[in-house]
């Protein structure tokens, strides 16, 4: 362990030299999807063409996904400046102005990270900027600021200090007690106290125990775990290693869905690098503690996010839940005591051990300690990854951090907790975001997905969308989920098509509560939440679909009618040419008309009409 300490000190000294400019490109999935690889190639070509001495490297998502591709430029002794929406065409100007002339391009800059020199004028400073002002970065503290493929950078920024402390100064019982003091609850959705779970697994009899990381993130609009795995894989590995020491395990698995190829690639690199340096495997840091770590790539079944289905999948069986008890802490992987936590939970552990449980418990609320990572998606101006203290309000997240609703439209609802979460209306914007408050309001914390909806969203259609997802992902093992989700989906579809009856609402609510109370696993028990919450807060929209045969948001196609105003129509024929169903007829330069029997209500005609002659009723 002395060697590791000396190595860290050397790396920290090297990292502060800063004797030449450096450029870093965000190359997580979001950055690459936005064109980060092309920007990286353009930067390399431009630097080579000019013969400049500049270090180029990659980093992960800093959280501002709305501005990808993101490029960081740092000059020796000067603050690091992040630029957003960088394109290959902008690269020559960026190099000329910032690298050669030494002045940042203020109009392209997003934020600056405080450095040794005075901050640049006109560029927001990261801790106090609009996007980061309300955030508290713990799990995400390295994201976008270090190279996720570099063990050296992880160690230079405090990595493995917690493992050193645990193996050199703490007993397993002391580690578990520190986690209990922190108040850390599982960040995968259920919110079970982490310290208690570790204690149950440690006290379970057995000579073989396992540590498992649930990285099977499948919620629509959620990418918290992916971002952490891509941006700071070593923190998850260190957290799992500490958990293994605490519960008495010598082997572990990271269950990551195969749709996350970059996360798996970086996990493999991190595991290999840690093993080469004696931080994984046999006799870790010379203490006699052994821990081997494997990766299991899942096939993408949403139900495998449920812990018993996940374990079955690792064992090579079909991913289906089983009845509990016994719980995995008593009989888990291959019948052995197993501790399962998700990515964010393990990533918190090194920070808690390093800084102390009381430090973590000082953040958040009485029953929901620490911070929480959320994915902001939907109709907000700034989509991305944020980390906030528990207890912050929905209004602060949506309007202060995310900048409000796109095009300044009216906020309508926010879906929290993924497809099994609930939809909360405008009068819940001042609700504190913690486990208990969200549950009382009809939603759940879930893993951290947050989808924001505006005035043009049909809440009946939203409930149908999420139920369609969970119904398709049901494993079919238990009757309530297998049959109940089908029946509820049929009712919702009828309502969206204008064929619903008022008694359908009572049937729908009764079915939802039966499924919620009788389904085998968490998928079935929570999938009715979108229905129950929209019935509670947006019942008037259901009634409009049924009584008036009208969709207030103009979304449900079966309830739409397209008409042409003869007074505005010039007979140009653009609408007829755009109609895929041949439903529009009329002579040239004469008003046209739409045949409602042929119209498929796709809206193509309305998009093509330049004269505002087509209306959607």
């Amino acid at each position: 362990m002395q060697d590791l300490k000396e190595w860290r000190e050397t790396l920290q000294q090297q990292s502060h030299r800063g004797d030449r400019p450096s450029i870093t490109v965000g190359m997580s999935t979001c950055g690459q999807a936005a064109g980060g690889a092309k920007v990286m190639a353009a930067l390399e070509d431009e630097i080579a063409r000019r013969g400049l001495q500049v270090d180029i490297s990659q980093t992960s998502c800093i959280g501002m996904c709305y501005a990808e591709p993101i490029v960081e430029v740092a000059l020796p002794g000067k603050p690091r400046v992040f630029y957003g929406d960088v394109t290959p065409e902008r690269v020559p100007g960026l190099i000329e102005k910032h690298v050669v002339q030494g002045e940042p391009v203020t109009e392209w800059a997003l934020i600056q990270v405080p450095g040794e020199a005075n901050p640049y004028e006109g560029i927001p400073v990261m801790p106090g900027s609009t996007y980061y002002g309300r955030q508290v970065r713990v799990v995400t503290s390295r994201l976008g600021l270090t190279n996720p493929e570099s063990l050296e950078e992880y160690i230079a920024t405090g990595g493995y200090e917690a493992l050193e402390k645990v193996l050199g100064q703490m007993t397993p019982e002391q580690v578990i007690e520190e986690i209990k003091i922190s108040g850390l609850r599982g960040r995968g959705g259920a919110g079970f106290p982490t310290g208690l779970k570790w204690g149950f697994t440690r006290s379970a009899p057995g000579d073989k125990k396992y540590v498992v990381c649930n990285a099977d993130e499948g919620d629509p609009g959620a990418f918290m775990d992916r971002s952490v795995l891509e941006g700071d894989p070593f923190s998850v590995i260190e957290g799992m290693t500490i958990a293994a020491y605490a519960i008495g395990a010598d082997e572990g698995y990271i269950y990551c869905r195969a749709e996350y190829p970059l996360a798996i690639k970086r996990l493999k690199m991190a595991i290999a690098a840690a093993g080469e340096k004696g931080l994984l495997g046999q006799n870790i840091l010379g203490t006699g503690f052994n821990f081997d770590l494997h990766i299991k790539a899942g096939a993408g079944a949403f139900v495998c996010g449920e812990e018993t289905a996940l374990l079955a999948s690792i064992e090579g069986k079909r991913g289906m839940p089983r009845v509990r008890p016994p719980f995995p802490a008593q009989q888990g992987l291959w019948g052995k005591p197993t501790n399962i936590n998700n990515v964010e939970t393990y990533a918190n552990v090194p920070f808690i051990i390093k800084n102390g449980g009381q430090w973590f418990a000082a953040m958040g609320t009485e029953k929901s300690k620490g911070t929480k990572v959320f994915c902001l998606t939907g109709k907000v101006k700034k989509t991305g990854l944020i980390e906030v203290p528990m207890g912050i309000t929905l209004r602060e997240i949506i309007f202060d951090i995310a900048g409000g609703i796109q095009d300044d439209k009216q906020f309508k609802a926010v879906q929290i907790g993924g497809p099994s979460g609930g939809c909360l209306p405008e009068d819940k914007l001042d609700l504190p975001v913690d486990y208990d408050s969200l549950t009382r309001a009809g939603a759940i914390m879930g893993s951290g997905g947050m989808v924001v909806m505006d005035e043009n969203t049909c809440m009946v259609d939203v409930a149908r969308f999420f139920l369609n997802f969970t119904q398709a992902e049901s494993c079919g093992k238990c009757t309530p989920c297998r049959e109940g989700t089908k029946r509820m989906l049929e009712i919702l579809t009828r309502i969206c098509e204008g064929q619903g009856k008022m008694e359908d609402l009572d049937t729908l609510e009764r079915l939802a509560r039966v499924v919620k109370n009788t389904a085998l696993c968490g998928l079935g028990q929570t999938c009715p939440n979108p229905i129950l919450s929209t019935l509670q807060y947006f019942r008037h929209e259901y009634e409009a679909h049924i009584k008036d045969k009208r969709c207030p948001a103009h979304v449900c196609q079966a309830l739409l009618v397209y008409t042409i105003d003869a007074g505005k129509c010039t007979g140009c024929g653009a609408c007829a040419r755009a109609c895929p169903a041949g439903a529009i007829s009329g002579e040239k330069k004469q008003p046209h008309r739409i045949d409602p029997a042929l119209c498929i209500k796709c809206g193509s005609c309305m998009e093509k009409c330049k004269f505002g002659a087509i209306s959607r009723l």
Side-chain angles (χ1 to χ4, degrees):
M1 281 191 278
Q2 182 62 31
D3 292 341
L4 180 58
K5 183 178 180 181
E6 292 175 356
W7 188 32
R8 177 180 296 109
E9 292 174 351
T10 301
L11 291 171
Q12 289 172 342
Q13 291 172 0
Q14 292 174 347
S15 66
H16 286 108
R17 279 189 310 186
D19 54 359
R20 54 197 258 173
S22 67
I23 296 178
T24 309
V25 182
M27 291 289 280
S28 282
T29 296
C30 54
Q32 294 189 32
K38 293 180 180 178
V39 172
M40 173 77 87
L43 285 164
E44 291 173 340
D45 291 345
E46 184 68 14
I47 289 169
R49 186 182 69 81
R50 291 172 176 261
L52 299 174
Q53 296 296 311
V54 179
D55 294 325
I56 301 182
S57 62
Q58 64 174 334
T59 187
S60 58
C61 173
I62 196 170
M64 296 182 288
C65 303
Y66 65 91
E68 293 282 4
I70 294 176
V71 173
E72 174 209 306
V73 179
L75 303 182
K78 296 291 184 70
R80 306 156 72 174
V81 177
F82 287 81
Y83 295 96
D85 299 312
V86 180
T87 62
E89 292 73 26
R90 283 186 170 185
V91 165
L94 189 62
I95 295 295
E96 173 64 28
K97 185 77 185 296
H98 197 157
V99 178
V100 176
Q101 298 180 17
E103 290 296 327
V105 188
T106 306
E107 59 269 28
W108 296 349
L110 292 172
I111 58 167
Q112 59 179 308
V113 179
E116 299 172 3
N118 293 328
Y120 292 112
E121 292 185 7
I123 303 175
V125 180
M126 183 177 184
S129 67
T130 305
Y131 191 73
Y132 290 104
R134 300 294 181 93
Q135 295 194 46
V136 177
R137 287 165 64 91
V138 179
V139 169
T140 61
S141 59
R142 291 188 183 89
L143 270 59
L145 301 175
T146 61
N147 184 345
E149 298 181 2
S150 172
L151 175 61
E152 289 78 7
E153 289 196 27
Y154 180 71
I155 289 175
T157 53
Y160 282 105
E161 286 185 15
L163 184 61
E164 285 181 275
K165 180 178 178 181
V166 163
L167 296 182
Q169 305 174 28
M170 302 176 72
T171 65
E173 290 77 13
Q174 288 174 326
V175 174
I176 293 173
E177 183 60 27
E178 202 66 39
I179 298 299
K180 288 180 179 179
I181 291 171
S182 73
L184 176 65
R185 296 171 66 173
R187 297 302 196 243
F192 191 83
T194 304
L196 280 179
K197 182 181 283 190
W198 288 19
F200 292 153
T201 314
R202 176 163 184 80
S203 62
D207 57 351
K208 178 72 175 182
K209 297 180 182 179
Y210 292 95
V211 169
V212 173
C213 176
N214 184 348
D216 189 63
E217 183 176 58
D219 295 4
F223 47 91
M224 300 77 56
D225 291 351
R226 174 179 60 76
S227 297
V228 173
L229 291 174
E230 291 179 357
D232 196 11
F234 290 104
S235 67
V236 180
I237 293 171
E238 184 180 5
M240 292 184 70
T241 307
I242 293 170
Y245 172 78
I247 70 169
D250 63 357
E251 194 172 1
Y253 285 85
I254 299 176
Y255 187 91
C256 184
R257 53 181 44 224
E259 291 103 320
Y260 285 179
L262 184 58
I264 291 176
K265 172 193 170 186
R266 288 180 175 169
L267 278 171
K268 288 180 177 178
M269 295 176 67
I271 289 172
E276 289 175 5
K277 292 296 182 181
L279 299 166
L280 269 180
Q282 302 299 300
N283 194 27
I284 295 174
L285 294 178
T287 62
F289 170 60
N290 307 323
F291 181 59
D292 291 310
L293 190 55
H294 316 284
I295 297 174
K296 167 67 175 179
F302 182 68
V303 73
C304 285
E306 196 277 337
E307 59 182 13
T308 60
L310 181 152
L311 295 177
S313 182
I314 293 177
E315 293 172 350
K317 303 172 186 174
R318 182 179 175 185
M320 300 179 76
R322 62 166 172 79
V323 176
R324 298 174 298 175
F327 293 93
Q330 285 81 44
Q331 293 182 31
L333 196 58
W334 289 292
K336 305 297 183 181
T338 303
N339 180 82
I340 307 175
N341 289 119
N342 87 320
V343 170
E344 186 182 343
T345 308
Y346 283 123
N348 268 300
V349 170
F351 295 98
I352 292 172
I353 295 299
K354 180 181 175 180
N355 298 299
Q358 291 291 357
W359 164 82
F360 190 83
M363 298 181 284
T365 65
E366 182 181 355
K367 295 183 179 180
S368 299
K369 305 294 187 182
T371 62
K372 181 73 188 78
V373 180
F374 287 100
C375 289
L376 279 170
T377 59
K379 300 297 184 178
V380 288
K381 294 179 180 178
K382 298 177 180 179
T383 57
L385 188 78
I386 66 169
E387 185 174 4
V388 292
M390 290 282 198
I392 192 172
T393 65
L394 290 169
R395 188 184 302 277
E396 290 174 295
I397 291 175
I398 295 169
F399 288 92
D400 294 345
I401 296 176
I405 309 302
Q406 289 178 7
D407 302 321
D408 294 321
K409 292 185 177 181
Q410 182 70 29
F411 169 86
K412 189 169 192 176
V414 57
Q415 167 85 355
I416 304 177
S420 297
C423 300
L424 302 181
E426 187 174 14
D427 63 7
K428 297 295 181 183
L429 279 174
D430 293 314
L431 186 76
V433 178
D434 60 60
Y435 290 100
D436 300 325
S437 298
L438 292 177
T439 300
R440 285 194 296 269
I444 59 173
M445 180 77 71
S447 58
M450 193 174 287
V451 183
V452 179
M453 293 163 267
D454 66 11
E455 60 195 65
N456 295 330
T457 304
C458 172
M459 302 311 297
V460 184
D461 185 61
V462 165
R464 179 176 67 163
F465 170 81
F466 283 113
L467 188 66
N468 183 63
F469 176 85
T470 51
Q471 193 276 323
E473 294 293 339
S474 171
C475 74
K477 184 174 183 178
C478 74
T479 302
C481 184
R482 182 182 66 247
E483 300 299 328
T485 54
K486 288 181 180 179
R487 301 291 86 80
M488 290 188 292
L489 184 59
E490 289 170 356
I491 295 172
L492 286 171
T493 300
R494 287 204 306 269
I495 293 173
C496 288
E497 292 177 350
Q499 301 173 15
K501 299 173 288 186
M502 284 303 295
E503 52 264 35
D504 284 339
L505 299 186
D506 293 333
T507 303
L508 192 60
E509 187 168 4
R510 186 171 68 253
L511 263 174
R513 297 201 182 280
V514 168
V515 174
K516 189 178 184 70
N517 293 329
T518 60
L520 174 62
C521 80
L523 186 151
Q525 293 162 9
T526 58
C527 73
N529 284 339
I531 295 174
L532 293 171
S533 60
T534 52
L535 279 172
Q536 179 181 357
Y537 298 118
F538 301 96
R539 196 179 188 89
H540 59 281
E541 290 201 22
Y542 283 86
E543 294 176 350
H545 282 71
I546 296 171
K547 292 180 179 179
D548 304 329
K549 307 301 180 186
R550 159 180 87 83
C551 175
H554 297 172
V555 170
C556 297
Q557 287 192 349
L559 300 179
L560 300 179
V561 177
Y562 287 85
T563 60
I564 298 178
D565 186 337
K568 295 181 180 180
C569 180
T570 64
C572 68
C575 59
R577 292 191 294 273
C579 179
I584 301 177
S585 60
E587 298 294 328
K588 189 175 182 180
K589 296 185 179 181
Q590 296 296 318
H592 285 41
R593 73 177 192 87
I594 299 175
D595 185 345
L598 297 177
C599 179
I600 60 173
K601 305 172 184 179
C602 65
S604 298
C605 57
M606 194 171 180
E607 293 177 5
K608 291 294 182 180
C609 183
K610 299 179 180 180
F611 306 99
I614 300 178
S615 300
R616 181 174 59 194
L617 306 177

